[in-house]
Amino acid sequence: MPHAKPRENKAAAPARKEAAAFSRPRGARGAHGAKGARSAHGSQQPPQPRPTAADFLPMTREAAAARGWDELDFVYVSGDAYVDHPSFGHAIITRLLEAHGYRVGVIAQPDWRDPASVTVLGEPRLGFLVSAGNMDSMVNHYTVAKKRRHADAFTPGGEAGRRPDHAAVVYANLIRRTYKKTPVILGGIEASLRRLAHYDYWSDSLKRSILLDSGADLVSYGMGEHSIIQIADALAAGLAVSDLTFIDGTVYRARSLEHVYDYELLPSWDAIRADKLKYAESFAVQYDNADPVRGKRLVEPYSDHEFVVQNPPAPPLTTSEMDAVYRLPYARTWHPAYDAAGGVPAIAEVKFSLASCRGCFGECSFCALTFHQGRVISARSHESLLDEARLITQDPGFKGYIHDVGGPTANFRAPACSHQLERGACARKRCLVPEPCRAMDVSHADYVELLRKLRALPGVKKVFVRSGIRFDYVMADPDPAFLRELVAHHVSGQLKVAPEHVSDEVLRHMGKPSRAVYDAFVRAYEAENRRAGKKQYLVPYLMSSHPGSTLKEAVELAEFCRDMGYNPEQVQDFYPTPSTISTCMYYTGVDPRTMQPVYVPRSPHEKALQRALIQYRNPANYDLVAEALAKAGRRDLIGYGPECLIRPRKPRSSRNPAKGRGKKRS
């Protein structure tokens, strides 16, 4: 019979003190700083030695026994290698559970062809937690052209092929084959964005809720800190997993709606399979209810006796809660078991970076953040970020450069307006497009102050801002201080920004600001560089083949590249990943917010034409560019004038017949 409460976990005692902040009011601070932080008199402590296996949660029964554990409460099964760093979802969830007194072990990248691979830690007392990893396993495996990738940054040595396609489903079924009744809870980005019926680009079809295909008992969606502790405490109190129908941020299966209340009924599985417009209607309802304040309970019927119920989203973390999460005793590197393989490449991007915020009210149509992290911003305190920065400076590999201070959008440090905390984000309205909302609180003062404090720390030479900034939010701020300091102190020669396109028609479907806003930002950025006496450049991210883009708009984007002298080496084709507005447009041919038709470039050849136009300078693209210009009615761009993209090809008979011949042998 399950215990009434978590058993005493002496190894977790220090972390448990940090977790107490989860129950503190907003703004409260923990009594302890980060491990290895400065002493009270401010002196710099010596660099920390590299963590040993004992500093990680157990991956073997021997490691568990060394802690005095004869049984685990939870086993976390992950599609990623075990990296104990707060940029990895498995690290946050396992450390948080440890801090609440639970004994947790990790099985990283089990062999999905061998059921014994998920039994190496034995049967957990309370349940298995399953995640495909930090990335969707299908995006991890395949390019937008559905070609297999040759490397996996989340695997030791970057080796590809160490996880299955649709990893969360495969792992859950693997567990269920051995442990018939042990609770299985799915989490992570893959499960979160597939929690209800969704379009699967790789099979070009609708798929059911991942809950049904995986055989799991629950899905914990979103970031998961609140829901996972409630799940753990309920299971530890003796509740059956089938009784856990009341936790926000979870999805469960019901055989009837007799005890389900205050819900909105979505179109049935049969209805959305038969009619794409029904799926668009369903998606619009899901999108409108992705807010933790306004969101209703949603029910998706699969038959008269099978329903998938999505509870409202969990509330975002408060500042004190977020600080507590980042104060947990992470080893901050990969498990020593991976040393021989050269470690895990993915940590290189985050090892010397700071995550300052979560959530995004930018609402780009092709981004799934609204469904996963939400529109309301959560931010860490300055003290928390400074503590972590001091910890980073003690790493033997630190060279004085903090690589990033940001999040989904670096320059968002607070909710868009005070109304969001009380009434939630506005339904069917966006904060920044088509114009910034008059109620929006536009200020970079807190972020500027934070950056100043960070670059003043001993041992820090430079603090970069490399995660995306919303340039329209910058332009809406009447105070030029942020852009001025960004240019003067936080750019490494090039600033990457994401206009994505230049056609206002395409930008409207993307949920991005008009081209005029980007052009104004370019002028302001160049002016600040002149003021600072610097020559720093903008590198724009561009996307081809997004819904709404015909060859006409693709030519417009090519002309933009011509006029700015930009020759992009790589261009991102629109990638239809689960649970984005753009993916819904791609599948249904309508904008789910308006139900109006949207042009969608679907064929691989048309996508190749649009991509080639942006890279028109590449000689290998000549034939595609010529074909695209002819189809768009823009043969005027084939010629010798300064406005032309390509030159006409000489007739074969007029070419030099000797060209390309080899020299005679002597």
Side-chain angles (χ1 to χ4, degrees), residues 21-242:
F22 254 60
S23 60
R24 293 180 187 145
R26 176 182 286 271
R29 293 178 55 192
H32 301 273
K35 177 182 176 183
R38 288 179 159 218
S39 61
H41 55 78
S43 61
Q44 188 83 24
Q45 294 190 13
Q48 297 294 312
R50 197 191 187 292
T52 66
D55 296 307
F56 293 77
L57 295 172
M59 293 180 70
T60 64
R61 294 196 193 200
E62 292 75 17
R67 290 182 168 226
W69 298 355
D70 57 354
E71 182 185 37
L72 295 170
D73 295 317
F74 290 99
V75 171
Y76 194 112
V77 178
S78 173
D80 289 342
Y82 182 21
V83 181
D84 192 32
H85 186 281
S87 292
F88 292 74
H90 59 246
I92 287 180
I93 296 301
T94 55
R95 286 297 188 185
L96 189 59
L97 285 166
E98 177 196 35
H100 280 77
Y102 295 100
R103 300 178 178 185
V104 188
V106 176
I107 299 177
Q109 297 186 318
D111 182 353
W112 71 94
R113 294 157 295 224
D114 180 9
S117 66
V118 295
T119 69
V120 295
L121 292 174
E123 182 176 13
R125 182 174 69 94
L126 299 177
F128 282 94
L129 309 176
V130 177
S131 168
N134 261 24
M135 281 181 69
D136 183 287
S137 61
M138 300 303 288
V139 177
N140 180 285
H141 283 170
Y142 299 98
T143 69
V144 66
K146 302 182 182 179
K147 294 180 179 178
R148 193 83 181 188
R149 299 189 195 273
H150 301 297
D152 181 349
F154 295 91
T155 295
E159 181 185 354
R162 291 285 297 275
R163 79 186 85 206
D165 289 354
H166 300 291
V169 169
V170 174
Y171 291 152
N173 279 288
L174 197 66
I175 292 166
R176 191 57 80 209
R177 286 164 61 182
T178 302
Y179 302 107
K180 305 298 183 184
K181 296 183 179 180
T182 309
V184 176
I185 296 99
L186 299 186
I189 189 79
E190 182 166 292
S192 185
L193 300 183
R194 288 173 163 81
R195 57 189 186 258
L196 295 173
H198 54 279
Y199 172 68
D200 181 74
Y201 170 68
W202 301 273
S203 63
D204 191 25
S205 65
L206 283 184
K207 282 189 174 290
R208 304 189 303 168
S209 164
I210 195 171
L211 188 66
L212 303 182
D213 289 341
S214 66
D217 297 286
L218 285 175
V219 171
S220 170
Y221 71 88
M223 298 304 288
E225 289 99 342
H226 282 141
S227 59
I228 199 62
I229 297 305
Q230 292 181 59
I231 291 168
D233 289 349
L235 292 173
L239 290 180
V241 70
S242 58

Side-chain angles (χ1 to χ4, degrees), residues 554-563 612-618 622 625-626 628-629 634-648:
V555 170
E556 189 176 343
L557 187 55
E559 291 183 291
F560 166 79
C561 293
R562 174 201 64 201
D563 294 344
L613 278 167
I614 304 175
Q615 298 176 305
Y616 69 89
R617 290 183 177 88
N618 185 343
Y622 184 93
V625 174
L629 292 175
R634 294 300 307 273
R635 292 181 183 273
D636 58 299
L637 296 178
I638 304 174
Y640 296 96
E643 302 296 312
C644 294
L645 301 182
I646 56 175
R647 294 185 174 186

Side-chain angles (χ1 to χ4, degrees), residues 189 222-225 287 290-292 313-318 322 326 355-364 367-380 405-417 420-421 425 431-432 467-470 473:
I189 189 79
M223 298 304 288
E225 289 99 342
Y287 194 85
D291 182 82
L317 298 185
T318 64
M322 201 165 171
Y326 283 86
S356 72
C357 60
R358 288 182 184 173
C360 183
F361 53 80
E363 288 191 273
C364 298
C367 179
L369 271 169
T370 297
F371 265 74
H372 190 61
Q373 291 189 5
R375 292 169 60 184
V376 180
I377 303 296
S378 296
R380 294 167 63 188
V405 183
T409 298
N411 54 326
F412 289 171
R413 284 276 301 162
C417 66
Q420 286 189 342
L421 295 176
C431 301
L432 282 165
S467 53
I469 64 168
R470 281 294 294 226
Y473 188 73

Side-chain angles (χ1 to χ4, degrees), residues 392-406:
I392 285 174
T393 65
Q394 296 161 30
D395 189 290
F398 183 67
K399 306 299 184 185
Y401 301 98
I402 293 177
H403 295 167
D404 189 26
V405 183

Side-chain angles (χ1 to χ4, degrees), residues 226-564:
H226 282 141
S227 59
I228 199 62
I229 297 305
Q230 292 181 59
I231 291 168
D233 289 349
L235 292 173
L239 290 180
V241 70
S242 58
D243 293 331
L244 305 190
T245 61
F246 54 87
I247 298 173
D248 285 347
T250 63
V251 180
Y252 66 93
R253 184 190 297 106
R255 297 204 173 276
S256 79
L257 300 180
E258 182 180 358
H259 301 293
V260 183
Y261 61 93
D262 189 26
Y263 64 84
E264 184 160 349
L265 191 66
L266 297 172
S268 70
W269 168 245
D270 289 339
I272 61 175
R273 278 198 305 172
D275 186 350
K276 291 183 177 181
L277 294 183
K278 284 293 183 184
Y279 175 72
E281 292 172 5
S282 177
F283 184 87
V285 174
Q286 295 173 43
Y287 194 85
D288 286 345
N289 287 278
D291 182 82
V293 178
R294 293 185 298 98
K296 295 180 181 178
R297 189 169 288 100
L298 302 179
V299 172
E300 189 169 68
Y302 285 83
S303 71
D304 292 339
H305 55 274
E306 189 169 45
F307 304 88
V308 171
V309 183
Q310 174 186 294
N311 286 322
L317 298 185
T318 64
T319 293
S320 59
E321 289 172 341
M322 201 165 171
D323 287 355
V325 164
Y326 283 86
R327 224 172 18 238
L328 294 170
Y330 305 101
R332 303 188 67 82
T333 187
W334 60 73
H335 193 281
Y338 309 134
D339 286 349
V344 181
I347 198 173
E349 290 294 320
V350 297
K351 189 173 181 65
F352 302 125
S353 297
L354 298 170
S356 72
C357 60
R358 288 182 184 173
C360 183
F361 53 80
E363 288 191 273
C364 298
S365 300
F366 47 82
C367 179
L369 271 169
T370 297
F371 265 74
H372 190 61
Q373 291 189 5
R375 292 169 60 184
V376 180
I377 303 296
S378 296
R380 294 167 63 188
S381 69
H382 289 196
E383 292 80 3
S384 171
L385 289 157
L386 289 166
D387 281 347
E388 187 177 0
R390 294 185 186 104
L391 194 60
I392 285 174
T393 65
Q394 296 161 30
D395 189 290
F398 183 67
K399 306 299 184 185
Y401 301 98
I402 293 177
H403 295 167
D404 189 26
V405 183
T409 298
N411 54 326
F412 289 171
R413 284 276 301 162
C417 66
S418 58
H419 305 304
Q420 286 189 342
L421 295 176
E422 300 172 5
R423 302 197 292 267
C426 298
R428 298 296 174 103
K429 287 185 178 180
R430 295 186 173 190
C431 301
L432 282 165
V433 294
E435 301 289 341
C437 177
R438 288 178 294 179
M440 188 169 62
D441 301 322
V442 183
S443 174
H444 288 87
D446 178 76
Y447 192 39
V448 168
E449 182 185 358
L450 171 63
L451 293 172
R452 288 172 178 170
K453 290 177 180 177
L454 288 168
R455 66 178 188 253
L457 289 175
V460 174
K461 299 176 183 177
K462 189 93 170 178
V463 178
F464 295 116
V465 176
R466 286 179 173 164
S467 53
I469 64 168
R470 281 294 294 226
F471 56 83
D472 48 349
Y473 188 73
V474 174
M475 298 310 295
D477 189 349
D479 185 351
F482 169 67
L483 184 57
R484 189 157 294 167
E485 297 216 2
L486 178 72
V487 167
H489 302 288
H490 304 290
V491 177
S492 57
Q494 295 179 336
L495 177 66
K496 295 179 179 179
V497 289
E500 306 293 357
H501 215 280
V502 295
S503 163
D504 285 346
E505 175 65 15
V506 179
L507 292 168
R508 181 172 64 83
H509 291 299
M510 287 181 162
K512 301 289 287 186
S514 69
R515 178 176 176 175
V517 178
Y518 177 70
D519 289 343
F521 174 76
V522 171
R523 292 191 294 270
Y525 179 77
E526 291 174 346
E528 289 299 337
N529 273 278
R530 288 193 297 271
R531 176 189 177 93
K534 293 177 177 284
K535 289 185 178 180
Q536 298 177 135
Y537 303 96
L538 286 174
V539 178
Y541 286 117
L542 302 175
M543 183 184 295
S544 63
S545 305
H546 187 276
S549 176
T550 68
L551 285 175
K552 172 180 174 293
E553 285 77 28
V555 170
E556 189 176 343
L557 187 55
E559 291 183 291
F560 166 79
C561 293
R562 174 201 64 201
D563 294 344
M564 66 180 294

